[in-house]
Each structure stands twice: as C-alpha cells, then as structure tokens.
Amino acid sequence: MASVSAQTAAQQPVSPRKRAIHWGNLPWPSILVLISLVMVAIFAPLISPHNPREQDILLQFARPFWRITGTAGFPPEAGYWLGTDDLGRDILSNIIYGLRISLLVGFVAVTISLVIGTPVGLIAGFRRGRTDDIIMRLVDIQLALPTILIALGVLAVWGSGLWKVILVIGIVGWANYARLVRGSVLIEREKDYVTSAQALGTAVPRTLFVHILPNVLNALLVQISVDVPRVILLEATLSFLGLGVSITTPSLGLMVARGYERLFSGVWWTSVLPGVGLMILVLSINLLGDWLRDTLDPRKLNA
C-alpha cells in the first residue's frame, strides 16, 4: 500500500508555480548577496569597527588599505580598512550603518504604500461605478506629479529626518498599488469563485480579503520588488540634496554628497565606495525582482 501511495504521489503533476519556484531555479547570487547585506545591517553594532559618528580630524582622509604603501597613510591595523572622510569618520562603519538606513527606508516606506493602496484598489475594482471613477481620478492626479518633486516640497517645509522621509515616500507611493490592485480585481471579480461567494451571501470585506486578495498577491510581490530599490535610490537622492535624513544619520546618499566635490582630487574613496555599496544593494534587489517578474508571469504559469 505504501509503495502504491508513493507511486501515485510521484505521478501527480507538479503545479506550474511549484515547478517555477524550484531550488535550482532561484537566483542564488542575488539572494545570497541580499541576505548578506541584510545580516550586516541587522548586526551593524557588532560588525562595525567604529562608531559611524566618531570624528577625529587628525585622521582626515586616511587611505583605504590597498592604497597604503610603506608607512604612508594610516595603518590598516587601526581598523580603518576603507579609509576615512573629511572629518576622520570611518568609511566602512558608515557604509554598514548606511545599508541599515537604506533597507529600513525601502521596506517600511513600501509597506506603508502597500497598506494604503491595496484596500483602495480592492474597493475601486470591486465597487466600480462612481466610487471607481473618483478613486482613479485621485490616482491619476497623484501619478501625474513626480514623486521626488512632492517629497522635495514636503520635506523643504516639514524639515528633514529619517521618519519624515519614510512617511512622505510611503504616503506618496500608494497610487501605484491602488492602480495595480484595481486592474487585477476587475479581472478576478468576473470569475466563478467570486460569483459563488456572492451567491452564498458572503460579506464584501470577506470576499475582498479572503477570496480576491490571495489571487492578486503575485502582482503585488512583483511590484514590491520593483518599488523597494526605487525607494532606496529616492532616499539616497533626497539625502544627497540635503533634504533626506539628518546630517548626523549615516546615509549612503549623504556620504556620496560629502565626498563628490573631492572626487577628482585624489580622495575618491569617500564618495565612490558608498556609491558602490548602494549599487550592490539595489542591483541584488533588482535581479531578484526580475526573477520574480519572469517566474510569476501568468502566461508562463498557465502554459
């Protein structure tokens, strides 16, 4: 009996989704890099060799370890492996804490956008009619205004700060999720399982969140994977312009801004190395997002 059951289970067809999301098909390089960066950000106080805010003007522009020749520069055994900036702050420690800030802004801001936009899109797509028209006109107005201009205007009046940046970016980004969910709901609401739920007298909130929302999750996952790196770059841009996090907060955008004026004066590492860290973080998330988009493509899952 056991052998018959095992043979029957082996003959059962594997669903397209399980076949696509297989261990061998995962983008392991980007996943491993992203996990490493997340772990570094989480355990920053244990990994960082120095306090990122610690200043020592006597250590100004200490060279990275590979540029030290003989006794020139600051000895790497002191722990300044990637050199220091104009105030003698450790570049490596600031990059480690900067990764923490970037990931925090990216995931928390996108979560805020998701929480606001998803219910709005569900209601617009399910109710249709005048409710849909009003909501979609608001979405059109929101999407017509560049996110960075809205953020710049609000932060210029409100002032800079980490949580202010997160709130502004999160609230501004709701329209993308509302439009995406609304389009998916318009398709799902015509299917038999929704008609059956309505015929059985299922309450509208239960129909939306229990029956329809799970079938929209694929599109939401892809959108999240696209938005997180976009938000990370937006925070870096705002910090570069001086309207992001406060100047005492370690930020990759702030580090690039502080060092770019000396980019061609031989002290390039103060700006280039934070930029490289930001590039690696964004690239790893983008590659994972591309894989999710290709894997969760309905045309491939239904093939």
Side-chain angles (χ1 to χ4, degrees):
M1 293 295 293
S3 60
V4 174
S5 301
Q7 185 177 3
T8 303
Q11 291 176 351
Q12 291 180 350
V14 181
S15 67
R17 182 177 300 179
K18 289 183 178 180
R19 186 171 62 250
I21 307 177
H22 187 270
W23 286 103
N25 298 329
L26 295 175
W28 285 111
S30 59
I31 290 176
L32 292 176
V33 170
L34 182 58
I35 291 176
S36 301
L37 294 177
V38 171
M39 296 302 291
V40 167
I42 292 174
F43 296 104
L46 301 177
I47 299 173
S48 176
H50 297 277
N51 185 333
R53 296 185 176 91
E54 182 182 347
Q55 302 178 13
D56 189 344
I57 199 66
L58 297 178
L59 303 178
Q60 183 184 46
F61 298 132
R63 300 178 183 180
F65 71 93
W66 66 85
R67 295 207 53 181
I68 297 176
T69 56
T71 59
F74 195 76
E77 58 269 15
Y80 295 92
W81 293 98
L82 297 186
T84 59
D85 62 8
D86 56 334
L87 296 178
R89 291 171 293 203
D90 182 35
I91 297 293
L92 177 59
S93 299
N94 275 271
I95 290 177
I96 291 173
Y97 277 87
L99 290 173
R100 170 184 276 193
I101 296 298
S102 296
L103 288 168
L104 178 65
V105 172
F107 284 102
V108 175
V110 168
T111 300
I112 293 173
S113 301
L114 180 69
V115 170
I116 296 174
T118 300
V120 172
L122 287 171
I123 294 171
F126 192 80
R127 289 294 188 185
R128 296 193 295 188
R130 179 169 296 181
T131 301
D132 183 29
D133 291 339
I134 294 174
I135 291 176
M136 293 314 297
R137 296 298 77 77
L138 293 175
V139 169
D140 291 338
I141 293 172
Q142 175 68 63
L143 294 178
L145 301 172
T147 302
I148 189 170
L149 289 183
I150 299 176
L152 284 172
V154 173
L155 292 173
V157 175
W158 198 9
S160 61
L162 175 60
W163 290 104
K164 293 178 181 178
V165 171
I166 291 175
L167 285 175
V168 169
I169 297 177
I171 293 173
V172 169
W174 71 273
N176 290 321
Y177 292 91
R179 184 174 64 174
L180 174 67
V181 172
R182 180 252 186 187
S184 299
V185 171
L186 288 176
I187 298 173
E188 295 295 327
R189 75 185 306 277
E190 303 299 332
K191 294 185 177 180
D192 293 339
Y193 72 91
V194 177
T195 305
S196 301
Q198 290 178 308
L200 293 172
T202 305
V204 172
R206 181 176 176 82
T207 301
L208 289 176
F209 290 97
V210 176
H211 297 288
I212 295 180
L213 182 59
N215 293 284
V216 183
L217 290 181
N218 285 354
L220 285 175
L221 284 175
V222 175
Q223 184 65 36
I224 289 171
S225 66
V226 171
D227 271 355
V228 169
R230 180 186 63 82
V231 169
I232 289 174
L233 288 176
L234 179 58
E235 180 275 325
T237 302
L238 292 172
S239 297
F240 182 87
L241 296 175
L243 290 173
V245 300
S246 62
I247 59 174
T248 59
T249 303
S251 167
L252 298 177
L254 271 177
M255 294 178 69
V256 174
R258 287 196 293 256
Y260 86 98
E261 293 181 352
R262 300 180 178 87
L263 196 58
F264 299 104
S265 63
V267 196
W268 51 267
W269 58 86
T270 60
S271 184
V272 171
L273 295 182
V276 171
L278 181 64
M279 180 193 69
I280 293 174
L281 174 61
V282 171
L283 181 61
S284 63
I285 302 176
N286 275 333
L287 291 176
L288 182 58
D290 290 342
W291 177 82
L292 280 173
R293 182 189 59 197
D294 296 337
T295 302
L296 300 179
D297 188 342
R299 293 171 294 182
K300 292 185 178 181
L301 293 177
N302 297 328

